[in-house]
Amino acid sequence: MAVITDQAADKLGWNAIRAALADELVSAMGRAQLQALRPSDNREMVVRSLESVSELLQAIERNDLLPLEDFLDIRKTLERAAPAGGWVRGDELEAVRKVCRAARRIKKALLPKSFPVVSGLARRLKVLSELEEHIGSIVDTSGEIRGDASPELRRIRCRRHRLQGLLRDRLRTILQKAVSGGLASEGQLTVRGGRMVIPLRAEAKRKMRGFVHDASATGRTVYLEPAECVELGNDIRLAEAEEAREIERLLREATVRVRHNLPALDTNQTLLGTIDLLQAKARLARRIGGTIPNLQEEPLLDIRNGKNPVLLLHAADSMAVVPLNLTLGGDLRTLVITGPNAGGKTVAMKTAGLMAVMLGCGLPVPVHPASTFGLFRQILVEIGDEQSVEHDLSTFSARVTGLKRMCAAACNGVMLLVDEIGTGTDPAQGAALAQAVLEQFTAQGALTIVTTHHGTLKAYAHEAPGVANGSLSFDEQTMRPTFEFRQGLPGASFAFRIAERMSLKAAIVARARALFGTAGASLEALMETFEALNRQLQDRLASPLKPKQPTAESDSSRPSRSGAYRRPGRARPAPKVTLQPGQWVMIDQGDTPYRILELDRNRAIVSFGNMRLHVNVSRLKPARNGTSEKKPNLQRQPPKARIDMRGSRVRDALVELEQFIDQGLGHSLVNLEIVHGKGTGALREAIHARLKEMDSVASFESPPLNPGVTYVRLA
């Protein structure tokens, strides 16, 4: 049984991923394998595929590309070559030769490399140099038989060319005499029925001995083979027949050689298609920033900083795609996602489902490497309008049919995704039916993600064991979604607020509120209040330090602050200064002025435009221009979550590292990526040592499958 149907996978966005993969392929066999690509629940197989992609991704990062070239699918050619006595055309033999050449070049390129998995595929390739050379000796790159394919063919062709030259000269002489005698107009020699002829006026055909082979469409011209040239023409036809027999002999002989190597050729083209598809996966992973998360036997989702792959394919800036942090598994079996329309509920659900499909197909996904996924035996999807006229199903009937199928399949190891559950019928009855279905899904152990606007399902998710709320946040000031997913929190629909913002008549909105009822209004108001309180809490967590206003007494009784700015490998004392909120300062040796917003004993929060930084006080010194209240009119640079230090000296790299961490803190980034390469490991060790010293770094790691990169999580 398939893990997911093609139709369901396409609803999650798999068709866009498949199209992107097709753009990266170079061979027809690779495209054939892509068409057959389906997710697997076999962990060993998936891990092996991901390891192969990881190896090729490392090669691409080093610009070490495989010498893959386009080669045709030769399966039908091999079928025609299999029967004894059968033979194939020259162009088909050339396709076989290209497969032989590709196998030889790929094996030569891969075997010296330290790619345990991909090199294992290369070792299975069989080099068929003798067959490749033999085919190349009888056919050219266009599939035509070479003139020197055999001594006999060379002799026959030389004789045929000589006879054709004699015949052409004789016919030109006859045609010139016919033109002079008025029997023919100006014309050229031509061929009719495989015989060389001259064009004559129709009325003159009896004035010259010969054989008429054809006439023009108007009937005014006939094409005649003069009698004196017939014998020479016959000699040419005999030479052509002799040439055809020799060509057939050569093709039959080459086909016998192909027949003796059928198993190896079949295996080679399959392996080449596999390697082509693996390289396409690696190229796509690089485009979308794909990584390999932890894979476990138990079906679960722990997505950290995951981004929708389809959005990344179409986004001009990957930083504009809002990351998703979502957990489902263990005791938590069902997630109910709520929030306003167009707020990203369906996208969040599709992101989780699409990533599960991609991993099952051996594709890295754009998440933090600390994320964890399980593999699923089956993924069922109910998204969109499934109305069917030919089967006499309404939208609601079709949805019930889908839910029925899900109820039958629900169990541990199955993922269920339902968009807008309980819609298409009476809202109260639809909500009740949806809750009953979710209770069934949860009891049977399936992992379920649903989206809804039903308020009763929010309450159910809050109270029921194994079920949790999730929501997409909404900016009440602008009345626009932020697309930020929040686990464990229900979301308000903001229907009335949005209607007011869009200038719907106040009387209509007021009447709608009255019709909505006191209980419903109270629940919606509670959700909106909860949204506001949660946002305030997040703001407080983002700015935990309280400014200490210095008094005259404290200033006189306490010694002034002193500190030192850090430099890689050394530290020197900075001049003693007195710092206070509102003061303009510089960081280290920089020339950009920052303003102190909040100040504690050892830490300060400083601002530059819209950017805030948490900085150790010892790194600050007063700005040269004093404490001007005028804000600097400088353009803010976009934040970088990734830095490439390959080739840098350790001393310079550590300076860049501190600046990189500072700008990440200033832009409230959580996860950063440092590319340092493998090399001797000296640069990586120096970076890791410095990261251990930084209070702002919560954790960091270099995954075994990609040791050339360190992933940093900021505190």
Side-chain angles (χ1 to χ4, degrees):
M1 181 177 61
V3 171
I4 188 171
T5 65
D6 292 345
Q7 182 183 16
D10 289 346
K11 287 184 177 182
L12 299 176
W14 174 243
N15 49 349
I17 301 299
R18 187 169 52 236
L21 278 172
D23 291 340
E24 303 292 350
L25 292 167
V26 301
S27 71
M29 197 61 195
R31 287 185 283 274
Q33 292 204 13
L34 174 60
Q35 290 299 317
L37 182 62
R38 299 292 185 277
S40 170
D41 61 346
N42 185 315
R43 184 177 182 277
E44 182 179 352
M45 185 184 303
V46 172
V47 168
R48 189 172 184 81
S49 178
L50 288 171
E51 288 174 345
S52 303
V53 175
S54 176
E55 292 174 358
L56 293 180
L57 183 56
Q58 293 176 40
I60 292 173
E61 292 286 350
R62 298 193 303 267
N63 201 30
D64 185 10
L65 303 180
L66 296 179
L68 274 169
E69 58 191 76
D70 190 10
F71 50 88
L72 298 177
D73 183 350
I74 61 171
R75 285 177 293 184
K76 292 192 178 298
T77 298
L78 298 183
E79 289 178 5
R80 284 193 290 272
W87 55 284
V88 296
R89 303 185 309 271
D91 59 326
E92 294 175 310
L93 286 176
E94 173 60 14
V96 172
R97 188 188 69 83
K98 286 183 177 179
V99 170
C100 294
R101 183 178 66 177
R104 173 176 53 81
R105 295 178 66 190
I106 289 296
K107 186 164 188 173
K108 181 179 179 181
L110 281 176
L111 284 186
K113 302 185 186 302
S114 57
F115 293 161
V117 182
V118 181
S119 295
L121 293 175
R123 279 190 289 272
R124 293 171 56 194
L125 291 169
K126 185 173 182 180
V127 177
L128 303 173
S129 300
E130 185 178 346
L131 177 61
E132 179 187 351
E133 292 171 3
H134 179 75
I135 294 176
S137 70
I138 64 172
V139 297
D140 58 23
T141 56
S142 64
E144 297 294 327
I145 302 299
R146 297 169 58 96
D148 58 350
S150 73
E152 180 65 12
L153 182 61
R154 185 186 302 111
R155 182 191 66 77
I156 294 171
R157 283 188 171 176
C158 287
R159 180 170 178 269
R160 177 173 61 81
H161 290 156
R162 181 176 57 80
L163 292 173
Q164 287 174 336
L166 290 173
L167 177 60
R168 199 174 292 111
D169 292 342
R170 188 172 298 179
L171 286 173
R172 285 199 186 101
T173 302
I174 295 172
L175 179 58
Q176 289 174 359
K177 290 181 180 179
V179 171
S180 300
L183 302 180
S185 59
E186 292 292 338
Q188 297 291 331
L189 302 180
T190 185
V191 176
R192 288 293 187 273
R195 312 285 290 199
M196 295 186 69
V197 295
I198 60 174
L200 292 181
R201 299 181 188 277
E203 60 273 17
K205 64 183 178 181
R206 299 186 185 280
K207 296 181 180 180
M208 181 179 292
R209 294 178 59 251
F211 300 92
V212 175
H213 289 278
D214 199 1
S216 65
T218 62
R220 296 177 181 176
T221 302
V222 296
Y223 299 97
L224 180 137
E225 181 183 12
E228 59 189 282
C229 297
V230 170
E231 186 175 351
L232 194 54
N234 290 341
D235 290 341
I236 292 173
R237 294 298 294 272
L238 289 173
E240 289 174 346
E242 191 177 2
E243 179 184 17
R245 287 193 296 272
E246 177 62 12
I247 289 175
E248 180 179 336
R249 185 189 70 80
L250 291 170
L251 293 177
R252 287 182 179 276
E253 180 182 324
T255 303
V256 170
R257 293 174 181 251
V258 171
R259 189 178 302 125
H260 291 162
N261 291 282
L262 285 178
L265 287 168
D266 187 56
T267 300
N268 279 1
Q269 69 158 357
T270 300
L271 291 172
L272 288 171
T274 299
I275 294 172
D276 186 16
L277 184 56
L278 288 173
Q279 180 163 267
K281 290 179 180 180
R283 289 176 180 272
L284 179 62
R286 191 185 189 195
R287 282 177 60 186
I288 64 175
T291 61
I292 301 176
N294 301 313
L295 284 180
Q296 295 190 2
E297 296 287 350
E298 179 68 20
L300 59 88
L301 295 172
D302 182 13
I303 302 174
R304 304 186 187 182
N305 280 7
K307 295 188 176 183
N308 185 279
V310 178
L311 294 181
L312 288 173
L313 286 174
H314 298 95
D317 180 11
S318 62
M319 297 298 294
V321 180
V322 179
L324 172 69
N325 291 277
L326 181 152
T327 302
L328 186 62
D331 294 335
L332 178 59
R333 312 306 293 178
T334 301
L335 187 61
V336 178
I337 303 179
T338 53
N341 286 327
K345 301 187 301 296
T346 304
V347 173
M349 180 177 65
K350 284 184 175 181
T351 301
L354 180 57
M355 287 182 174
V357 172
M358 291 175 64
L359 283 171
C361 292
L363 267 166
V365 291
V367 297
H368 189 277
S371 303
T372 304
F373 285 78
L375 297 176
F376 296 89
R377 295 199 303 272
Q378 195 172 7
I379 301 174
L380 299 177
V381 180
E382 279 294 322
I383 297 177
D385 186 353
E386 298 294 335
Q387 186 177 28
S388 173
V389 176
E390 59 184 84
H391 293 100
D392 193 25
L393 291 177
S394 66
T395 300
F396 179 69
S397 299
R399 296 302 293 272
V400 171
T401 301
L403 293 176
K404 176 184 175 182
R405 183 175 68 254
M406 287 182 164
C407 286
C411 64
N412 186 36
V414 173
M415 175 189 285
L416 306 176
L417 306 174
V418 187
D419 191 33
E420 298 295 352
I421 190 170
T423 57
T425 186
D426 175 78
Q429 296 183 25
L433 180 62
Q435 179 174 333
V437 168
L438 291 181
E439 289 175 352
Q440 182 76 9
F441 290 168
T442 306
Q444 293 178 202
L447 290 192
T448 305
I449 302 177
V450 300
T451 70
T452 184
H453 283 286
H454 289 304
T456 55
L457 292 184
K458 302 175 188 178
Y460 160 70
H462 178 69
E463 298 171 354
V467 186
N469 276 300
S471 62
L472 279 297
S473 64
F474 199 74
D475 190 333
E476 293 184 64
Q477 303 300 320
T478 62
M479 284 288 108
R480 295 184 184 278
T482 66
F483 305 105
E484 180 184 354
F485 180 78
R486 302 168 308 175
Q487 182 115 6
L489 304 179
S493 296
F494 292 99
F496 300 139
R497 299 282 296 280
I498 294 173
E500 288 173 338
R501 183 179 181 277
M502 298 182 68
S503 303
L504 188 64
K505 286 184 178 181
I508 295 177
V509 176
R511 175 59 177 160
R513 290 185 186 276
L515 292 173
F516 189 48
T518 304
S522 298
L523 178 60
E524 187 70 12
L526 178 62
M527 290 293 100
E528 294 181 13
T529 302
F530 193 79
E531 292 268 1
L533 291 174
N534 180 69
R535 188 168 53 258
Q536 293 176 13
L537 177 61
Q538 293 298 326
D539 291 342
R540 291 186 63 183
L541 291 175
S543 304
L545 301 180
K546 297 293 183 181
K548 287 189 177 182
Q549 299 296 339
T551 62
E553 180 181 357
S554 64
D555 287 343
S556 61
S557 62
R558 189 173 60 226
S560 61
R561 298 180 185 275
S562 64
Y565 61 87
R566 285 192 293 173
R567 279 291 190 184
R570 61 173 180 164
R572 69 181 186 188
K576 293 184 178 181
V577 294
T578 300
L579 303 176
Q580 59 185 4
Q583 184 176 355
W584 289 92
V585 294
M586 305 288 190
I587 300 177
D588 292 337
Q589 298 299 305
D591 56 3
T592 301
Y594 295 82
R595 188 176 184 180
I596 298 179
L597 298 180
E598 299 180 12
L599 189 64
D600 201 356
R601 182 175 182 83
N602 297 316
R603 304 284 289 178
I605 299 178
V606 298
S607 70
F608 168 61
N610 295 325
M611 182 174 67
R612 291 188 175 191
L613 291 177
H614 294 253
V615 187
N616 194 303
V617 172
S618 62
R619 299 179 62 193
L620 303 179
K621 66 178 181 178
R624 288 187 295 272
N625 296 330
T627 56
S628 169
E629 293 296 325
K630 183 178 180 181
K631 293 184 179 180
N633 184 24
L634 297 176
Q635 184 178 5
R636 182 183 178 187
Q637 296 297 317
K640 296 189 301 182
R642 183 177 189 269
I643 187 171
D644 192 338
M645 295 184 176
R646 286 176 294 184
S648 299
R649 300 170 66 179
V650 171
R651 184 184 185 89
D652 298 333
L654 294 180
V655 174
E656 288 187 78
L657 176 64
E658 291 206 358
Q659 296 172 350
F660 180 56
I661 297 296
D662 284 346
Q663 70 91 32
L665 290 169
H667 289 88
S668 300
L669 300 181
V670 178
N671 297 296
L672 302 177
E673 181 179 345
I674 302 171
V675 181
H676 43 65
K678 292 192 294 185
T680 62
L683 180 58
R684 178 179 60 185
E685 291 177 5
I687 290 173
H688 286 188
R690 182 53 53 91
L691 290 173
K692 290 178 181 178
E693 300 172 357
M694 294 184 175
D695 296 335
S696 55
V697 175
S699 63
F700 63 88
E701 64 175 339
S702 290
L705 291 178
N706 197 3
V709 179
T710 293
Y711 298 95
V712 179
R713 185 175 183 86
L714 299 181

